[in-house]
Amino acid sequence: MREGIVIPVDGPAGSGKSTMAKAIADHFGLDYLETGALYRAVGLMVLDRGGDPDDAELAARCAREMRFECRKTPQGWRNFLDGRDVTQALREERVSDAASRVSAFPPVRQALLSFQRSYKERRGAVVDGRDIGTMVFPEARLKFFLDADIEVRIQRRFRELRERGIPFDEVRLGGAIRARDRRDRERAAAPLLAAPDAVRVDTSDRSIDQVLASMLEKVREVYGEVIEAP
Ligand code: DC
């Protein structure tokens, strides 16, 4: 019954989209795909091969060759590249930068499209990213677009790194986040954009629980009993 249900959750880095998408997936027992991790994995592959993330041809080749999986484990949702758990490696700053570069190339995006679309044939899924509601699943009945003030999003990233004990330079990292944000919004291929029919959620001054409650309510409103079934 739930096959074919796919819920796009789009938004910029630090908007809370992955946190929310995972929580919605767990709540209803749906599958989950973090598409940012797909682009990050392409970036990591390019770097591992000693390549330049601005090399469009190499990036497209990596995207075509990549075997990626987002799987739920006892440690939570983890990302696997060619069978290797790369969840942690994908968060490195150099990989964030590479991902933002490779994701601007249309052949890279094209190569990742059918994998993303295959999630529709599964047991229902929540998919987070930048263009899920506009390009990947524009037909989805319910789609979310999360956003938050850029300063709030930068502070969230700082807090995350502090909690994990990772040292960083506030000025440099703040600048890098702003630059990536601009690149994601201004690029020609699938720029970050809310679908006209997306439910917009501003997470700047609301707690995770508040945002999640409102999103779960919306999902129930649209999908009703179908989604509650195990
Ligand atoms: O959400 P994130 O920060 O992990 O995304 C990493 C990069 O990938 C970011 O620069 C934007 C890009 N991206 C994209 O172009 N399309 C998506 N659907 C998801 C991410």
Side-chain angles (χ1 to χ4, degrees), residues 65-182:
E65 290 172 11
M66 179 171 77
R67 282 189 309 118
F68 181 90
E69 199 189 351
C70 186
R71 194 191 328 144
K72 187 154 194 190
T73 74
Q75 290 77 41
W77 289 96
R78 310 286 295 182
N79 295 310
F80 295 84
L81 174 58
D82 294 324
R84 177 168 61 111
D85 186 338
V86 290
T87 314
Q88 209 56 42
L90 294 186
R91 309 321 304 178
E92 286 173 25
E93 190 55 25
R94 65 188 188 107
V95 178
S96 304
D97 182 72
S100 164
R101 293 174 190 281
V102 301
S103 63
F105 299 131
V108 170
R109 309 197 67 84
Q110 188 60 36
L112 302 178
L113 210 50
S114 61
F115 176 74
Q116 296 178 73
R117 291 206 171 130
S118 72
Y119 270 71
K120 197 158 179 167
E121 277 103 60
R122 301 193 183 205
R123 58 194 164 104
V126 187
V127 181
D128 81 44
R130 300 289 196 291
D131 62 339
I132 309 307
T134 51
M135 308 291 286
V136 185
F137 298 114
E139 74 283 11
R141 272 172 66 195
L142 169 64
K143 49 191 77 147
F144 291 103
F145 189 88
L146 269 54
D147 208 347
D149 187 80
I150 177 90
E151 294 309 323
V152 172
R153 294 190 284 113
I154 288 174
Q155 288 306 322
R156 283 178 184 163
R157 177 75 181 139
F158 288 177
R159 196 180 329 129
E160 178 195 334
L161 291 173
R162 274 190 211 107
E163 280 169 10
R164 285 168 40 200
I166 299 172
F168 61 95
D169 179 318
E170 288 198 8
V171 177
R172 267 198 48 215
L173 182 58
I177 293 172
R178 272 178 235 278
R180 280 203 295 275
D181 217 62
R182 212 173 308 121

Side-chain angles (χ1 to χ4, degrees), residues 181-225:
D181 217 62
R182 212 173 308 121
R183 198 181 298 135
D184 290 349
R185 288 177 198 268
E186 293 175 0
R187 70 185 180 203
L192 173 67
L193 206 65
D197 57 344
V199 175
R200 287 169 171 271
V201 184
D202 189 318
T203 68
S204 303
D205 332 293
R206 295 164 72 201
S207 71
I208 292 178
D209 288 349
Q210 284 172 328
V211 175
L212 180 61
S214 72
M215 290 175 80
L216 291 176
E217 197 180 307
K218 199 77 204 168
V219 175
R220 286 195 198 96
E221 206 180 292
V222 171
Y223 286 110
E225 284 177 9

